[in-house]
Amino acid sequence: MNPHYDGFLADHYTWMFGAPYPDLVEEQLGALRQAGVAEPNSTGLAVDLGCGSGFQSVALARLGYPSVLAVDSSAKLLAELERHASDHPAIRVVHDDLGQVAANLSAGTVELAVCMGDTLTHLPDRRAVTQLFADLSAALAPGGRLVLSFRDLTTSLTGTGRFIPVHADADSILTCFLEYEPDVVTVHDLLHRRDGHQDWNLSVSSYRKLRIAPEWVADQLTEAGFRDVLSAAAPRRMALVTAVR
């Protein structure tokens, strides 16, 4: 479990996107269609690795996937997904590490795997990324598709540019501050909230993200046995990388 999520960010995760949940599902539907995701076959299994509160999982169910495995290490985010998935019996939540789940998928059984919403940069190191690609290459059926979206953090921001406003309303302000190292960025989330007396209180939590470029990801996918690797821009300033097994 990433303590940053269940201990800090999960309570504000969907709020920080600044849009109603149905709109966020529509946004991910658009990204999936941009990635070439089509209607599944009659038994198609889709795996959503790092599903968070489930924007992609619900989108996949709406696309018609008869089985959607929604995997996340945050119990709070999975509970939120379950509240939104009551009309989508295809979705099954799994509270586990995404790398462990990917490593134990049966060979050739997955039609579609997605790892979206910047989940990829949360892996501990580049070796974990390449291992994930190898495991998904084995799990995907021939012709199966992999869809990734993540932030390219390889260009360092400087000075006050390292302060990023995330979202705000009348009672809450979320800002992040970035500290760069050669291979990772430490993200400090700063949340100001009003209490009942209208005083502002500050909560802070930090986590690390990998600095990986779409070109590096594409090279690793090719080495793992994927073909037709394509890169494009995705919503919210993310890179979208797709590949076929």
Side-chain angles (χ1 to χ4, degrees):
M1 182 192 76
N2 184 334
H4 174 75
Y5 274 85
D6 264 6
F8 179 82
L9 197 60
D11 292 331
H12 320 287
Y13 181 81
T14 299
W15 166 84
M16 75 179 186
F17 287 90
Y21 193 98
D23 291 354
L24 296 170
V25 172
E26 289 291 337
E27 184 178 280
Q28 293 309 301
L29 270 170
L32 289 166
R33 288 171 175 143
Q34 179 187 352
V37 176
E39 292 184 4
N41 65 43
S42 59
T43 59
L45 169 62
V47 180
D48 184 2
L49 298 169
C51 63
S53 57
F55 315 143
Q56 292 86 224
S57 297
V58 174
L60 291 167
R62 284 184 52 188
L63 283 170
Y65 279 85
S67 181
V68 179
L69 200 65
V71 183
D72 205 276
S73 61
S74 170
K76 287 184 178 179
L77 291 177
L78 289 174
E80 183 179 352
L81 166 55
E82 288 185 305
R83 291 194 295 274
H84 289 284
S86 58
D87 294 332
H88 301 288
I91 298 174
R92 178 166 66 91
V93 303
V94 177
H95 183 211
D96 203 345
D97 174 78
L98 67 88
Q100 291 293 324
V101 171
N104 289 288
L105 292 168
S106 299
T109 60
V110 178
E111 182 175 342
L112 172 69
V114 305
C115 186
M116 301 176 72
D118 210 24
T119 296
L120 200 61
T121 64
H122 288 273
L123 294 180
D125 51 39
R126 292 188 177 210
R127 181 179 299 178
V129 175
T130 57
Q131 183 62 55
L132 177 66
F133 293 166
D135 291 335
L136 292 176
S137 179
L140 282 160
R145 185 173 294 270
L146 173 63
V147 181
L148 309 168
S149 66
F150 59 95
R151 285 199 171 87
D152 179 356
L153 299 170
T154 54
T155 299
S156 299
L157 301 175
T158 60
T160 56
R162 294 175 294 163
F163 289 88
I164 312 295
V166 179
H167 187 54
D169 59 24
D171 297 308
S172 301
I173 304 170
L174 179 61
T175 307
C176 68
F177 172 71
L178 308 180
E179 285 188 299
Y180 293 91
E181 300 175 46
D183 295 322
V184 299
V185 177
T186 300
V187 181
H188 304 277
D189 280 340
L190 299 88
L191 179 66
H192 288 85
R193 301 189 74 191
R194 290 186 196 268
D195 62 21
H197 303 287
Q198 298 300 299
D199 294 322
W200 287 96
N201 297 309
L202 173 64
S203 301
V204 179
S205 183
S206 302
Y207 61 104
R208 289 154 68 90
K209 285 186 174 183
L210 294 176
R211 304 179 71 179
I212 51 177
E215 297 80 7
W216 180 84
V217 169
D219 288 343
Q220 303 310 307
L221 289 171
T222 300
E223 289 191 15
F226 287 91
R227 59 181 174 84
D228 299 337
V229 182
L230 299 173
S231 299
R236 300 182 184 272
R237 296 175 294 178
M238 296 213 187
L240 180 70
V241 178
T242 62
V244 177
R245 182 65 181 95

